[in-house]
Amino acid sequence: MAALVVEQSGTTPVIVNSLCPGFCKSELAREYDSWYELTAVSLLLGLFARTTEEGSRALVSGTVQGVEGHGNFWRNDKFNENPAILRSDKQLQKKAWDEIIEVLESQAPEIKEILHQ
């Protein structure tokens, strides 16, 4: 997907990388209300999940990698091989990129000008 923003001159006006904070504790499971669901969720979160602070640090560290991070996958404070789905399915990459740009343009219309300079 990062190749979609590299200009013909080889410059990169926007750095695009993928990152994963891992399995983090959150309130996403708040709709579970039966005792067995709550027990299972609590057990999984307690044993395997990072705190939200740890997850947020992973997101921040991934965003400050600079040009070296362009096109790479950041997880557990290091670059990892991009998942196969991100490497192989060009149509999915294009669709995801178009959706990202659509959301960005709705929040910051100047993004279109930045990408098409």
Side-chain angles (χ1 to χ4, degrees):
M1 203 176 347
L4 296 173
V5 295
V6 176
E7 295 178 342
Q8 290 181 352
S9 65
T11 60
T12 307
V14 177
I15 297 169
V16 177
N17 58 16
S18 302
L19 41 97
C20 176
F23 181 42
C24 297
K25 296 175 185 173
S26 71
E27 293 296 318
L28 290 176
R30 64 184 168 271
E31 73 277 357
Y32 297 127
D33 53 7
S34 64
W35 69 269
Y36 57 89
E37 291 172 327
L38 291 170
T39 302
V41 168
S42 295
L43 184 63
L44 288 172
L45 289 174
L47 289 175
F48 302 111
R50 297 176 176 185
T51 65
T52 50
E53 181 183 349
E54 291 169 326
S56 68
R57 277 190 261 145
L59 293 174
V60 170
S61 67
T63 59
V64 298
Q65 295 306 310
V67 176
E68 308 82 46
H70 184 71
N72 291 311
F73 180 64
W74 185 258
R75 183 175 185 172
N76 296 327
D77 291 328
K78 64 180 180 181
F79 291 116
N80 295 274
E81 186 175 358
N82 279 315
I85 189 82
L86 294 178
R87 293 189 314 262
S88 62
D89 192 339
K90 302 293 183 198
Q91 190 175 17
L92 177 63
Q93 293 173 14
K94 175 83 170 101
K95 182 180 179 189
W97 180 250
D98 290 343
E99 289 178 10
I100 291 167
I101 295 303
E102 182 180 325
V103 170
L104 287 174
E105 286 177 351
S106 72
Q107 300 298 313
E110 66 273 12
I111 198 77
K112 191 173 199 170
E113 182 181 320
I114 292 168
L115 289 175
H116 297 298
Q117 287 181 355

